[in-house]
Amino acid sequence: MSKRKIYKAISRTAIIIIVVVIVIAAIAGGLAAYYSSSKPTPTSTTTSSLTSVTTPSTTSTLSSSSTTTTALSNVVDFINPWGAEDPVGLKWIGGNFSIYYPGYSVQFTSLPGASGVEERYVVINDIEAGKLQGIFWAHGGPEVLSYVELLPNPHDLYNMTPLLAQEGLFQKGVTEALMAISYNGTIFGSPTNVHRAEELYFNPQILKKYNLPIPTNLSLLIYDTQQLEAHGINPWAMSGAEGGYEQLHLWFAIFLSVAAQYYGAAGAAKLSNELMYGVLNLNNVTVQKIINETDNVFLQFVGQNAVIPSWQSQSIWSALALVIKGQTVFEAGGNWLAEYAAIWYNTTTYPATQPYLNWSNITLMAMPFPGTQGIYVIDMDSVAIPTVNNPQEQAAINFAKFWTSYEGQKIWTYYKGVSVWANATDYYSTPMQWYDYQALLNTPAQNFTWAFADGTLFDDVFYFLIAQELNLQEQGSSYVPTFNAALFKAENMTFHEWQIAAKDGFGFVGQRGNPFGNYLPPWVNPNTYAYNSSYTPSFLLTPPHYLLPYLKKLGQQQTINRASNVNYYIINGINLLPYPLLVLLMIYLDQTRYKPLVNSFINKINFFSNIFLSKFLTLNSDLYLGV
């Protein structure tokens, strides 16, 4: 039977029934699969013993262990990812806390992995087990909403806004930094430091050796990469130990740089903020060009001859050591690299500006990623406090107050990032930090955006995308269409998670009258700030046609993963919107005379399912989070 006869044989009613059955089956299947899967447990934990704590002005003793103390409310347990990264800072902040708050102390459980790749698992598992107490690290960006949505009640995380107001931070803090961690005026994480992400760290000695220019734009960076390869040098340091985390940083830095070529700094920041909310229009021709150019440049920088051969086993810190030694030249990241270079490698990072450009003895320089000058990519660490069954709540509040205070910030940000206070002096350990701090104070509001790999993404989307970035590097250009389809899925997941947050009253970053980056997501009325629950991006209702076969392929891969990997849901989340199955039908019916009817019906199904899912997931948010 020919295709034409098959199409004619399908009645309009039958098509509608097929769609309804697929929708119901996908939702039912997703729920069944979720309840039949077991949840992962962390594979490793590290603890440290911190004694003889030396501070700039005081000496005290601080002990640390993984044992949770619940009986003593004056002892606060702090789960964090900083034990290996900044043990000095933890000693200083813990020791001084006990001095500023006599009778109170802190004990640390420090877990490995950049961006909290291990720590997040522990926090999620503890929330689900109902045993989370004390205080824990989280990015202040939308990532923290992952925990808000996972808890039984949104206010089971302490609202820091009154505390920060009482401390005077809204009068003397950096406004855009505070807006970056606020959700319709509510702050769930007390800020500990501000990072600037999407910077390029490089060894100027190697560039001088081969008479290569400092790459102030993307074209020069591509040129330097090609020339270094021609000289037999692997230009790029890259880590694989974090499962694609550093790859996502590099991809996003290139995305911003390419976007700025089309739209300028403010326009690129706006595109990035649309990406953050899950509303970046992937049907737009220019957006498609930007993503394709980003993919191609990314693969140039992480190709076999460009990246150090041992990249799979490298951490971001060990990769940095190769840059300092001159064994490679470039690494993408943020000013956490300056911190680690100073603490562990006794190396000072200098901004690529005068007078330092004329100095001949510098082995590590940094700059905003070429082409992103004028954009401040913010990444803020914070501490969050559970309010349910937490006998350490008051101790945790005192700890957060001290850490966020001017004195606490001065102690902690001596090495790490910069202060959230707008009146800080240059007490920083590296000139790069002061350079970033000045940019924090002077960047226009519309040029701010969140770091895509550090805080922008809900946890399930984060784990899903870093895995896809790793696939893109390992499989190369053949994987580009599938990666772009994965980006589409990530936007879909992100959009629906934001709808859950919006239902709870936390539907945008910033506060009324002062949205972060001067950007409001389209479901927020700019005049009344009311939530428009009927909004759905058109590109989610009708996916780009060229992505449909690869969405199908992605769905098939994930079906295999579900069968073979109990960690599938923690990595990929559960996306109840049935795109992998609908794609089959949409491809099949693409050329039929029923296409307008099918598209219209799918749009209606999605509209009503969005309302149903929003209500359902408000009560059962863990189903969507997949954790």
Side-chain angles (χ1 to χ4, degrees):
M1 184 182 290
S2 68
K3 285 186 178 181
R4 182 177 298 276
K5 289 182 179 180
I6 292 175
Y7 292 152
K8 287 183 178 180
I10 301 176
S11 70
R12 179 175 302 193
T13 302
I15 292 173
I16 294 174
I17 291 172
I18 291 171
V19 175
V20 172
V21 169
I22 289 176
V23 171
I24 294 173
I27 293 176
L31 294 175
Y34 171 78
Y35 281 114
S36 66
S37 64
S38 59
K39 294 182 174 60
T41 53
T43 55
S44 62
T45 357
T46 59
T47 58
S48 58
S49 178
L50 309 180
T51 57
S52 301
V53 179
T54 304
T55 72
S57 58
T58 57
T59 304
S60 65
T61 301
L62 174 69
S63 65
S64 170
S65 76
S66 59
T67 304
T68 301
T69 303
T70 57
L72 299 176
S73 62
N74 63 336
V75 178
V76 59
D77 295 305
F78 176 42
I79 304 173
N80 68 89
W82 288 325
E85 179 183 340
D86 192 358
V88 176
L90 287 178
K91 290 179 183 180
W92 287 359
I93 204 73
N96 280 279
F97 167 58
S98 297
I99 293 171
Y100 278 81
Y101 286 86
Y104 288 93
S105 60
V106 59
Q107 48 185 35
F108 300 98
T109 299
S110 295
L111 304 168
S115 195
V117 291
E118 291 281 351
E119 187 258 10
R120 300 189 201 193
Y121 284 141
V122 174
V123 169
I124 289 168
N125 286 339
D126 285 354
I127 288 176
E128 290 199 318
K131 67 179 183 179
L132 185 64
Q133 55 188 5
I135 193 168
F136 65 92
W137 167 89
H139 285 119
E143 173 196 306
V144 76
L145 295 178
S146 300
Y147 312 117
V148 175
E149 293 178 0
L150 190 60
L151 287 161
N153 187 294
H155 294 286
D156 288 346
L157 276 190
Y158 188 82
N159 180 4
M160 301 284 184
T161 313
L163 182 152
L164 300 181
Q166 183 183 23
E167 295 300 303
L169 199 57
F170 286 98
Q171 288 75 40
K172 297 182 180 179
V174 180
T175 299
E176 282 308 308
L178 291 168
M179 292 306 99
I181 57 173
S182 180
Y183 300 91
N184 195 7
T186 298
I187 296 176
F188 292 106
S190 186
T192 61
N193 55 269
V194 180
H195 280 306
R196 187 177 190 179
E198 297 1 312
E199 296 178 325
L200 181 71
Y201 282 70
F202 64 96
N203 189 322
Q205 301 294 333
I206 309 304
L207 294 180
K208 289 179 182 177
K209 180 178 179 180
Y210 294 101
N211 196 29
L212 295 174
I214 289 178
T216 53
N217 58 53
L218 189 59
S219 296
L220 285 177
L221 185 58
I222 294 171
Y223 173 79
D224 285 352
T225 298
Q226 293 170 340
Q227 291 300 307
L228 289 167
E229 286 185 83
H231 285 95
I233 296 171
N234 301 115
W236 285 89
M238 178 60 66
S239 74
E242 287 84 21
Y245 161 72
E246 192 164 65
Q247 284 80 356
L248 187 56
H249 263 297
L250 176 59
W251 186 93
F252 179 64
I254 299 167
F255 172 85
L256 276 181
S257 182
V258 175
Q261 294 176 16
Y262 286 86
Y263 296 113
K270 180 176 182 289
L271 242 61
S272 172
N273 289 327
E274 291 175 350
L275 190 66
M276 174 178 73
Y277 285 113
V279 297
L280 179 64
N281 187 0
L282 299 176
N283 278 325
N284 181 277
V285 174
T286 304
V287 170
Q288 290 177 8
K289 287 181 179 179
I290 291 171
I291 291 172
N292 287 331
E293 288 182 39
T294 300
D295 294 340
N296 291 333
V297 174
F298 173 82
L299 290 176
Q300 286 186 59
F301 291 167
V302 298
Q304 184 176 359
N305 295 325
V307 175
I308 48 175
S310 59
W311 69 268
Q312 290 95 337
S313 61
Q314 295 287 338
S315 69
I316 62 173
W317 317 120
S318 57
L320 178 64
L322 300 180
V323 176
I324 295 170
K325 294 175 183 177
Q327 296 176 9
T328 187
V329 184
F330 303 121
E331 184 172 11
N335 58 21
W336 50 86
L337 293 176
E339 164 203 4
Y340 207 85
I343 293 174
W344 289 100
Y345 303 134
N346 196 29
T347 298
T348 300
T349 307
Y350 296 87
T353 60
Q354 295 295 354
Y356 309 116
L357 290 174
N358 295 328
W359 292 12
S360 59
N361 60 341
I362 294 175
T363 57
L364 190 61
M365 275 188 162
M367 61 191 299
F369 194 86
T372 69
Q373 293 88 339
I375 304 171
Y376 201 102
V377 185
I378 202 167
D379 166 15
M380 294 182 65
D381 292 308
S382 71
V383 288
I385 302 172
T387 61
V388 179
N389 300 322
N390 187 0
Q392 304 171 4
E393 183 175 337
Q394 186 56 54
I397 291 171
N398 290 343
F399 187 48
K401 286 172 63 177
F402 170 67
W403 206 334
T404 301
S405 70
Y406 185 91
E407 286 303 315
Q409 290 274 288
K410 187 175 181 180
I411 292 167
W412 178 245
T413 61
Y414 173 72
Y415 279 122
K416 186 172 184 65
V418 299
S419 175
V420 71
W421 291 88
N423 56 343
T425 59
D426 187 4
Y427 55 74
Y428 301 110
S429 66
T430 70
M432 190 63 202
Q433 290 168 276
W434 182 245
Y435 173 87
D436 284 344
Y437 181 68
Q438 292 299 304
L440 177 66
L441 298 179
N442 296 300
T443 298
Q446 66 270 18
N447 288 23
F448 274 86
T449 191
W450 256 100
F452 197 49
D454 270 311
T456 289
L457 300 173
F458 292 82
D459 276 343
D460 58 337
V461 188
F462 169 79
Y463 287 112
F464 170 67
L465 267 186
I466 63 172
Q468 293 300 317
E469 285 287 358
L470 209 58
N471 289 344
L472 181 60
Q473 178 174 358
E474 290 177 335
Q475 299 184 39
S477 58
S478 64
Y479 198 76
V480 165
T482 305
F483 173 78
N484 290 347
L487 188 64
F488 171 87
K489 180 186 175 181
E491 284 292 272
N492 172 30
M493 296 168 69
T494 298
F495 169 77
H496 284 89
E497 299 228 37
W498 268 111
Q499 302 318 292
I500 298 172
K503 291 285 188 181
D504 289 332
F506 313 118
F508 69 96
V509 186
Q511 64 184 16
R512 297 186 178 211
N514 197 3
F516 172 70
N518 273 358
Y519 178 80
L520 273 177
W523 57 79
V524 179
N525 185 309
N527 298 316
T528 64
Y529 285 85
Y531 168 51
N532 176 13
S533 60
S534 65
Y535 172 81
T536 300
S538 60
F539 66 91
L540 290 185
L541 295 174
T542 308
H545 180 270
Y546 76 97
L547 289 181
L548 295 181
Y550 302 101
L551 284 166
K552 174 186 173 183
K553 181 180 178 182
L554 193 64
Q556 291 171 339
Q557 290 173 343
Q558 291 170 347
T559 299
I560 295 171
N561 291 342
R562 281 200 297 271
S564 62
N565 184 3
V566 295
N567 288 340
Y568 170 81
Y569 290 101
I570 192 71
I571 295 172
N572 292 300
I574 298 176
N575 182 4
L576 294 183
L577 287 187
Y579 279 110
L581 294 176
L582 283 178
V583 162
L584 293 173
L585 184 62
M586 292 172 74
I587 294 173
Y588 180 67
L589 298 172
D590 184 56
Q591 298 178 10
T592 76
R593 59 192 174 94
Y594 298 117
K595 181 179 178 182
L597 168 67
V598 173
N599 283 341
S600 174
F601 188 77
I602 288 172
N603 291 349
K604 289 182 173 64
I605 286 290
N606 273 318
F607 173 75
F608 289 110
S609 66
N610 288 343
I611 295 175
F612 165 75
L613 289 174
S614 295
K615 295 290 186 184
F616 183 76
L617 294 172
T618 298
L619 300 175
N620 301 277
S621 60
D622 57 324
L623 295 182
Y624 187 81
L625 292 173
V627 290

